[in-house]
Amino acid sequence: MPFCSQFIANIRAARVGEAERLAINKEMANIRTKFASPNLSAYDRKKYVAKIAFCFIMGYKQDLGHMEAIQLLTAQKYSEKQIGYLAVTLMLTENSDLLRLVVNSIKKDLDDRWDVVNCLALHTIANIGGDEMAEALAPDVHKLMISPTSNNFVKKKAALALLRVYRKYPQVVPAQEWALRIISLMDDGDLGVVVAIASLVLTLAQDFPEAYETAYEKAADRLHKLVIGRNYDTRLYDYYKIPSPWLQVKLLKLLQYYPPPEDTAVRRMVEQVLATLLEMQEIPRSVQHNNALHAVLFEAINTIIHIDARSMLATQSAHLLGRFLSSKETNVRYLALNTMAHLAARAETLDPIKKHQNTIIMSLRDKDISVRRRALDLLYSMCDVDNAQVIVGELLNYLKIADYGLREEMVLKIAICCEKFATEYKWYVDTILELISAAGDYVGDEVWYRVIQIVTNTEDLQAYAAHTCFNYLKSPTCHESLVKIAGYILGEYGHLIANEAGCSPYEQFQALHAKSNFCNANTRALILTTYIKWVNVFPEIKPQLMTVFDRYRHVLDSELQQRACEYLAMAERPEDDDLLQTVWDEMPPFPERESALMNRLSKKHGDTGDRRTWIVGGKEAMKDAQVTRMKSLKRVTTNGTPTSSPARNRPHGAATGVPNGTTDIMAALAGLDMSGGPSVNGDHTPVLRNPDIDAKYQKLLYSDSGILYDDVQFTVSIKSDYRMSHGRMRIFFHSKLPTPLDALTTTIKSAEHDHLTFDIRQIPSTTVESAGHTMLEVEFECKEFFTQPPTLHVSFLTGSLTTLGLRLPVVIHKFFEPIQLEPQDFYMRWQKIGGPPREAQVFFPIVLNKRGDVDTLGQQAIVTGARIRCLEGVDPNLVNTVGAGVIYTSATGKAGFLVRIEPSRDEKKCRLTVRCTSDAFAPSLMEYIRGLLTAK
Amino acid sequence: MIRFILVQNRQGKTRLSKWYVPFDDEEKVRLRGEVHRLIAPRDQKWQSNFVEFRNYKIVYRRYAGLFFCLCVDANDNELAYLEAIHLFVEILDAFFQNVCELDLVFNFYKAYAILDEIFLAGEIEETSKAVILERLDYLDRLE
């Protein structure tokens, strides 16, 4: 029997609210006296705190028990602690002063050896953690998350507690520094841990896309294992036969925060996964199975659209979405409409969507308002010049019967479509005025301001607009917004139609004046201004207008009164005075400005924990976002200069429930902009240099295979072969450990990523068995001359995280090819190339060998090792070395070059001459070869 | 992320509430009322399980007399959260052996403990029913 059930039963027995309150008050008074007594047993304390907590849940706030709850935190028994923590999370919020008292207890519990206690403390941080907790406890939470001794429950909860801390107070989480360690947890064997970590990584990757770049590969790998390999504990993590749909969704979302992968290996994995998901059209066995299936499917389609809206998969998805539009299930229709709006925002052409235009219009009459909203969004997104008339017409029809909650948004969207896609003025004016007359109260001021702006700036429109407005004025009922527009437009352009039959100044005046009586003060003020404009252009109705001004001099509203007096005074000035004419001359066109309508609409996008990757409104709305979105993550160097993008460092307020408007959305997207050049990230382990590593590296410069790195745990060896401007390298990782090595992560960085590109063909497996090995395969392409070798960054888990940075022996001479030349050919070519600029020459000091001679053999070995043919019998001086080779680059072409090295023993100097068929390469080649010759 | 979780009966009495974003007390009362009024009249057969709410959306499902509502961001995956609700309900059902509204009332502290094993910090924490139930069993036996 659960405890304090009697109390709960009593409260439940109270039939009326008042009796309930009484029962609670009585019990609270009793508890108050109990708390005051000195000998309160631990059990009683727990019981009473539980009762108070129950009252909180019922919605009765109590101002007692806080201290007792905090006392319970220090209890030894789990049940007491648990009630204590529950009460604390219910009674305190992240801003409570009392939270300070709790921090110490939590810290102690985080340090406890018992995981159950750790978990309770982590729950509290994840539930009510604020700034103070964040500052005091972030390092402890992180420690628990990465500690090899933490069990899975602690790891999961710590990851999410850290997420909470980061969202509240990002400054205390060195997210970039911790990136590698956090990402390595994505390889954890326990899927529960992976689910929790995926949430954390998803959030951090949005703020630090570069530092968390490797998470992409991990996500792709994990998805592949889930969807294709089915390589997990299916007994635990299958949900109605679907591999943890929640994890799949998280990982797919992560993929949507990065541009499409560049490396073949990763791209292939992602494509395979997406294709498989798209084809998983099983016959649903249950509601749950069906929902889980579709949850993943729709996320996969979103990912497909994100990666490439023109791909085959995207076409297939569009087809599928079309089918879903007329699904029997409301949920599926809703999602299909929503996902199609995403497609509309990304696709090159709207044709696949337009095919379903009628179905979508029908969805406006769905039984569910949620579906109707999505249909509205989609119609708005798919509207273009071709279908604007149809769509706007349908929307206008629907507007008259639409839900009240939907109308304001509809009006805005119709007005925007109208403005953006109007091909004829007449249609624009007719539609927008019809819109205003139909929606009336739901028309925001922005809408009619915008109409006037457009009419003023478009001369051809003015007479027609005046005419139409006048017709509306003549109708028996006319909404006030229309009166305002009509008032303004007739004031400005009434004279344009004054000669037409039935539109004389007097008739215009009568029509407007008849409506003014039903309008509020604001509108009347506007109408007074119209009248004074008329005084200027229609002298024939001046007496009537003067009477109106005179009458308005006595109204109570001070604004109206003032206007009437001023206008009257102006109108009474003598005929020859040009003040009236100057002041009330036609308005000049407005400066071109952004439509306020768009701003108004985008305010509707609420704040979200995860940033939006697309927004409703088709391509137009995406345009600004597009600039920053698709820029690919540049492969950057480890020795770059630090830059900090302001967007990336901005306090992460979005998740805390602070509403953010357009500017924030844009700022958020700006965070994806990688164009700021190379930046220093926590994930780039510094390149390791020591004599042993250097020697191995040097040796590999002149050979195609060998050992790159070796220590007690781990060996890295490579095999490579080069053909012209391409090279293929296989990098092997051998484990020497007695236990498996986990979370192996490898990244390759090229300092000159435009000159030396690479493509990872195969990624190594994340786990290496004891004494086993795995392989990374990468293809290099030399586009242009480069000087910096790429670097390989390796990290793995053996309890703690080991990181390693190594230079890869990929240098320009790997893209050389030796050329055999006969002496006469050599001379001929040497002469043909000639002097500068296709020649580069330098003198440099040399070191003589022990016998005091020039080390010609050594020099020749270097030249040969650098894939340049040493030519014999060319130079009569045997100390000299001559060679020939070809350099291959894919972007700047190939070039033949000749080398001559002339050392002098007496001067301890050496002259190096390089002649190359391309003057672009000569100096760089000379510099490079000199570097080889002088290297120790 | 999940902004809040509400479990309410048909009369609108809240049986379980979890707030992952700080709201003050009046706001919480308002939210409970608004959500109930939004969800309760919706048709089960013809209407979806999602409905826009302020700048967010509510993903909900009705089990007998109880509405389970998650308030999530506008760009979150609806069906994934819908199934998260079902996972939660299945676990409650297994733990309380045929759960009913009264179980949530009398064992309110256990209900909250269960919630913390499935959702944390506004995210899904564990998705394996077996793992969660085993853990709950273990915790239940502690004293």
Side-chain angles (χ1 to χ4, degrees):
Chain A
M1 189 67 189
F3 73 114
C4 64
S5 51
Q6 189 54 51
F7 167 65
I8 296 174
N10 284 347
I11 290 177
R12 283 180 49 78
R15 284 281 159 223
V16 250
E18 201 44 44
E20 188 179 278
R21 190 186 314 272
L22 231 91
I24 286 177
N25 283 347
K26 203 174 133 203
E27 185 64 25
M28 288 304 128
N30 174 33
I31 292 175
R32 215 179 285 272
T33 51
K34 287 280 169 28
F35 279 165
S37 83
N39 43 9
L40 181 73
S41 76
Y43 176 80
D44 282 346
R45 184 181 296 126
K46 175 179 95 172
K47 187 172 80 185
Y48 294 136
V49 169
K51 285 180 181 179
I52 295 168
F54 182 78
C55 293
F56 260 89
I57 295 168
M58 297 278 291
Y60 295 94
K61 212 179 160 189
Q62 303 296 336
D63 58 349
L64 78 164
H66 292 89
M67 294 318 288
E68 284 73 14
I70 291 170
Q71 265 179 302
L72 279 180
L73 299 189
T74 55
Q76 294 303 315
K77 273 188 180 169
Y78 168 74
S79 63
E80 288 169 26
K81 245 187 200 319
Q82 194 221 337
I83 295 291
Y85 273 115
L86 174 64
V88 165
T89 48
L90 285 169
M91 296 198 279
L92 306 184
T93 61
E94 61 179 82
N95 307 318
S96 302
D97 293 335
L98 285 169
L99 223 47
R100 218 160 290 162
L101 300 171
V102 185
V103 171
N104 268 331
S105 309
I106 296 182
K107 201 176 169 68
K108 245 184 81 204
D109 285 346
L110 287 178
D111 288 339
D112 203 285
R113 284 221 206 119
W114 194 21
D115 64 294
V116 170
V117 171
N118 300 153
C119 287
L120 285 176
L122 289 167
H123 286 164
T124 312
I125 299 173
N127 280 321
I128 54 166
D131 290 3
E132 209 156 328
M133 273 195 197
E135 218 166 351
L137 303 172
D140 302 73
V141 175
H142 178 245
K143 211 172 70 197
L144 278 179
M145 181 178 76
I146 62 169
S147 160
T149 54
S150 291
N151 76 5
N152 292 338
F153 289 97
V154 174
K155 277 192 211 166
K156 283 186 288 201
K157 289 167 202 283
L160 293 174
L162 195 66
L163 175 59
R164 161 89 182 200
V165 165
Y166 176 74
R167 281 179 175 156
K168 288 289 158 196
Y169 200 15
Q171 292 91 320
V172 298
V173 178
Q176 307 196 43
E177 214 173 285
W178 290 351
L180 266 185
R181 191 64 184 86
I182 291 176
I183 293 169
S184 70
L185 283 170
M186 286 178 81
D187 284 330
D188 200 284
D190 184 84
L191 277 198
V193 175
V194 181
V195 171
I197 286 289
S199 294
L200 178 63
V201 169
L202 185 63
T203 303
L204 295 177
Q206 290 168 49
D207 287 349
F208 306 98
E210 273 179 69
Y212 286 83
E213 201 189 341
T214 34
Y216 193 99
E217 189 184 303
K218 297 280 171 205
D221 185 47
R222 178 63 77 178
L223 276 169
H224 197 267
K225 281 182 189 155
L226 282 176
V227 177
I228 293 166
R230 293 256 173 174
N231 188 359
Y232 60 96
D233 191 341
T234 48
R235 190 182 53 88
L236 294 180
Y237 286 96
D238 264 353
Y239 178 81
Y240 291 89
K241 308 270 182 240
I242 310 281
S244 179
W246 300 280
L247 179 57
Q248 289 194 53
V249 166
K250 280 271 172 216
L251 296 174
L252 288 167
K253 271 199 186 294
L254 181 64
L255 300 188
Q256 291 171 51
Y257 285 98
Y258 283 96
E262 292 175 3
D263 290 318
T264 315
V266 182
R267 201 180 54 232
R268 223 169 21 213
M269 272 199 298
V270 172
E271 275 167 6
Q272 232 178 330
V273 167
L274 292 174
T276 311
L277 289 178
L278 208 55
E279 270 154 27
M280 246 201 278
Q281 306 275 329
E282 298 167 50
I283 297 142
R285 298 159 208 225
S286 64
V287 184
Q288 279 67 41
H289 177 245
N290 190 34
N291 282 345
L293 200 69
H294 282 100
V296 179
L297 177 60
F298 278 106
E299 207 58 64
I301 294 178
N302 276 325
T303 314
I304 289 169
I305 296 170
H306 171 87
I307 289 177
D308 183 4
R310 284 165 305 180
S311 60
M312 268 302 292
L313 285 177
T315 318
Q316 226 176 312
S317 310
H319 182 73
L320 205 55
L321 288 177
R323 248 180 44 208
F324 287 154
L325 280 182
S326 32
S327 161
K328 274 194 198 128
E329 283 173 76
T330 315
N331 287 349
V332 172
R333 287 199 304 277
Y334 170 100
L335 291 168
L337 289 166
N338 195 31
T339 314
M340 253 198 186
H342 183 193
L343 185 64
R346 285 282 165 75
E348 290 291 303
T349 155
L350 292 171
D351 290 341
I353 303 168
K354 283 184 188 163
K355 271 197 287 194
H356 309 289
Q357 190 161 311
N358 290 332
T359 321
I360 300 167
I361 289 173
M362 282 301 289
S363 306
L364 276 179
R365 288 166 173 75
D366 199 279
K367 287 201 174 96
D368 183 5
I369 184 172
S370 302
V371 175
R372 295 196 290 270
R373 275 183 206 276
R374 294 287 80 84
L376 172 62
D377 278 347
L378 177 55
L379 283 173
Y380 171 66
S381 303
M382 66 186 279
C383 197
D384 66 8
V385 177
D386 301 329
N387 58 15
Q389 302 219 359
V390 180
I391 289 184
V392 169
E394 281 296 333
L395 289 177
L396 268 177
N397 278 341
Y398 176 59
L399 180 64
K400 289 158 197 158
I401 50 161
D403 312 65
Y404 296 114
L406 213 68
R407 288 195 185 176
E408 192 185 338
E409 200 181 324
M410 281 193 78
V411 169
L412 274 175
K413 287 183 170 164
I414 296 174
I416 292 172
C417 285
C418 227
E419 179 186 329
K420 270 200 310 205
F421 306 115
T423 44
E424 41 191 317
Y425 295 128
K426 193 174 155 300
W427 180 73
Y428 172 75
V429 172
D430 285 346
T431 316
I432 206 99
L433 291 181
E434 193 189 335
L435 168 71
I436 292 168
S437 107
D441 294 337
Y442 299 94
V443 179
D445 280 340
E446 295 92 341
V447 177
W448 74 265
Y449 290 166
R450 186 68 185 160
V451 177
I452 285 177
Q453 265 178 34
I454 289 176
V455 172
T456 310
N457 289 9
T458 320
E459 231 179 295
D460 302 346
L461 204 55
Q462 293 163 352
Y464 183 77
H467 205 92
T468 320
C469 286
F470 182 53
N471 283 340
Y472 271 105
L473 270 188
K474 283 195 296 192
S475 65
T477 53
C478 173
H479 192 267
E480 195 158 336
S481 295
L482 262 182
V483 177
K484 285 182 190 166
I485 299 189
Y488 188 93
I489 290 190
L490 289 178
E492 287 289 321
Y493 309 111
H495 61 275
L496 297 175
I497 57 166
N499 294 331
E500 293 172 31
C503 304
S504 69
Y506 184 70
E507 281 160 306
Q508 289 189 25
F509 167 70
Q510 269 199 321
L512 185 59
H513 201 64
K515 292 285 183 289
S516 80
N517 293 331
F518 306 103
C519 295
N520 65 22
N522 262 336
T523 313
R524 289 192 204 191
L526 190 146
I527 292 174
L528 282 184
T529 309
T530 306
Y531 291 166
I532 186 72
K533 288 175 186 167
W534 279 347
V535 171
N536 184 27
V537 291
F538 297 150
E540 59 267 48
I541 55 166
K542 189 169 170 185
Q544 287 92 331
L545 298 170
M546 297 291 271
T547 327
V548 178
F549 290 141
D550 191 51
R551 245 191 297 129
Y552 270 95
R553 281 199 303 160
H554 306 291
V555 295
L556 279 175
D557 188 284
S558 61
E559 169 71 26
L560 285 176
Q561 199 181 44
Q562 189 178 354
R563 281 196 193 210
C565 290
E566 286 170 6
Y567 293 167
L568 190 65
M570 227 183 265
E572 276 170 344
R573 290 175 74 89
E575 290 281 316
D576 55 340
D577 189 274
D578 57 0
L579 179 75
L580 187 74
Q581 216 180 332
T582 321
V583 173
W584 299 110
D585 198 14
E586 198 169 295
M587 288 292 276
F590 291 90
E592 262 319 308
R593 61 179 81 169
E594 289 241 346
S595 171
L597 300 178
M598 293 292 273
N599 288 338
R600 175 71 187 279
L601 194 64
S602 43
K603 270 186 201 141
K604 294 204 169 286
H605 294 297
D607 55 321
T608 50
D610 297 321
R611 289 173 193 161
R612 286 174 178 281
T613 52
W614 62 279
I615 45 179
V616 170
K619 277 196 115 51
E620 287 285 313
M622 292 286 292
K623 234 197 252 157
D624 291 327
Q626 205 75 15
V627 183
T628 50
R629 191 185 69 87
M630 289 311 278
K631 252 178 210 156
S632 103
L633 281 165
K634 294 248 169 65
R635 286 166 160 155
V636 290
T637 155
T638 44
N639 51 6
T641 46
T643 52
S644 60
S645 126
R648 223 174 299 154
N649 295 344
R650 100 203 143 89
H652 187 70
T656 54
V658 186
N660 51 355
T662 359
T663 46
D664 257 26
I665 291 174
M666 291 310 167
L669 286 161
L672 285 174
D673 186 2
M674 294 294 100
S675 60
S679 64
V680 166
N681 284 311
D683 72 334
H684 297 172
T685 32
V687 170
L688 194 61
R689 298 282 295 264
N690 64 34
D692 177 50
I693 290 175
D694 279 356
K696 289 194 164 69
Y697 172 76
Q698 284 297 336
K699 206 171 154 196
L700 279 170
L701 284 186
Y702 301 112
S703 118
D704 283 340
S705 57
I707 288 175
L708 183 65
Y709 177 82
D710 192 29
D711 69 11
V712 288
Q713 304 183 316
F714 195 62
T715 305
V716 182
S717 65
I718 60 173
K719 271 188 188 154
S720 56
D721 60 281
Y722 293 85
R723 193 160 297 133
M724 304 213 272
S725 57
H726 287 75
R728 181 158 51 159
M729 180 177 274
R730 278 170 297 168
I731 307 171
F732 298 89
F733 305 91
H734 309 264
S735 165
K736 297 188 197 167
L737 292 162
T739 52
L741 167 159
D742 265 331
L744 178 70
T745 309
T746 56
T747 351
I748 292 177
K749 302 274 169 190
S750 168
E752 293 152 286
H753 48 80
D754 296 334
H755 294 199
L756 178 70
T757 60
F758 60 88
D759 178 22
I760 291 168
R761 308 292 295 189
Q762 190 186 328
I763 58 172
S765 63
T766 52
T767 309
V768 184
E769 292 303 324
S770 171
H773 73 273
T774 180
M775 179 187 77
L776 166 72
E777 188 179 323
V778 56
E779 271 186 20
F780 289 99
E781 182 180 349
C782 173
K783 295 236 172 207
E784 287 175 49
F785 199 96
F786 66 93
T787 51
Q788 299 244 23
T791 50
L792 169 73
H793 304 264
V794 188
S795 69
F796 53 88
L797 273 178
T798 50
S800 65
L801 189 77
T802 310
T803 60
L804 187 64
L806 296 168
R807 285 178 299 167
L808 282 177
V810 179
V811 289
I812 190 71
H813 77 234
K814 299 279 184 186
F815 303 96
F816 290 174
E817 192 188 334
I819 296 288
Q820 177 62 45
L821 288 177
E822 293 306 314
Q824 59 271 33
D825 287 343
F826 181 86
Y827 286 122
M828 201 186 72
R829 291 187 191 206
W830 185 266
Q831 292 304 328
K832 206 173 158 197
I833 295 171
R838 291 197 284 188
E839 183 198 84
Q841 196 171 62
V842 71
F843 287 92
F844 58 91
I846 51 167
V847 183
L848 300 180
N849 65 12
K850 283 179 197 144
R851 281 179 290 149
D853 280 332
V854 173
D855 186 11
T856 304
L857 282 179
Q859 288 189 337
Q860 283 177 350
I862 288 172
V863 169
T864 313
R867 301 162 74 99
I868 303 170
R869 173 83 68 189
C870 270
L871 302 176
E872 280 168 27
V874 175
D875 202 310
N877 188 345
L878 290 178
V879 181
N880 293 353
T881 308
V882 287
V886 178
I887 170 173
Y888 289 96
T889 65
S890 56
T892 43
K894 67 171 190 172
F897 62 90
L898 306 169
V899 183
R900 191 164 185 219
I901 304 163
E902 299 156 286
S904 153
R905 191 176 66 178
D906 302 337
E907 293 176 52
K908 292 188 181 166
K909 261 182 161 178
C910 181
R911 181 167 76 169
L912 168 68
T913 315
V914 174
R915 288 188 174 186
C916 177
T917 53
S918 158
D919 50 341
F921 290 129
S924 331
L925 278 172
M926 183 273 290
E927 265 313 313
Y928 180 73
I929 294 167
R930 182 178 76 157
L932 289 180
L933 290 172
T934 50
K936 291 265 152 56
Chain B
M1 71 176 282
I2 307 170
R3 305 272 147 174
F4 56 80
I5 299 175
L6 287 179
V7 179
Q8 298 174 317
N9 66 12
R10 284 163 73 185
Q11 288 74 44
K13 261 213 179 311
T14 304
R15 289 310 180 197
L16 195 70
S17 61
K18 192 87 184 176
W19 311 89
Y20 294 108
V21 178
F23 294 107
D24 58 36
D25 293 320
E26 291 92 81
E27 184 68 8
K28 285 181 190 170
V29 174
R30 237 192 332 268
L31 285 167
R32 285 188 192 113
E34 274 180 43
V35 170
H36 176 69
R37 283 191 297 278
L38 188 66
I39 302 298
R42 282 174 63 83
D43 184 283
Q44 277 211 80
K45 191 165 175 206
W46 298 109
Q47 299 195 321
S48 59
N49 296 85
F50 330 121
V51 58
E52 261 177 53
F53 173 69
R54 299 190 182 178
N55 271 334
Y56 311 109
K57 61 193 169 204
I58 307 276
V59 175
Y60 71 97
R61 198 178 220 166
R62 188 176 143 180
Y63 292 88
L66 282 181
F67 290 99
F68 288 74
C69 309
L70 297 187
C71 176
V72 299
D73 291 338
N75 57 349
D76 280 334
N77 186 309
E78 292 86 351
L79 285 175
Y81 280 114
L82 185 62
E83 284 318 294
I85 292 177
H86 189 76
L87 178 72
F88 179 42
V89 173
E90 277 192 2
I91 287 166
L92 286 176
D93 203 47
F95 183 80
F96 289 114
Q97 279 140 29
N98 235 335
V99 69
C100 69
E101 189 179 341
L102 283 187
D103 288 319
L104 298 187
V105 177
F106 282 98
N107 292 296
F108 66 95
Y109 55 97
K110 285 186 184 165
Y112 275 85
I114 294 170
L115 195 64
D116 276 341
E117 295 297 325
I118 306 173
F119 302 101
L120 202 59
E123 304 289 346
I124 294 170
E125 171 193 346
E126 175 58 73
T127 68
S128 165
K129 190 174 158 187
V131 169
I132 296 168
L133 281 173
E134 196 186 323
R135 177 70 170 181
L136 289 174
D137 252 21
Y138 168 71
L139 293 178
D140 207 40
R141 274 184 273 113
L142 294 172
E143 193 42 52

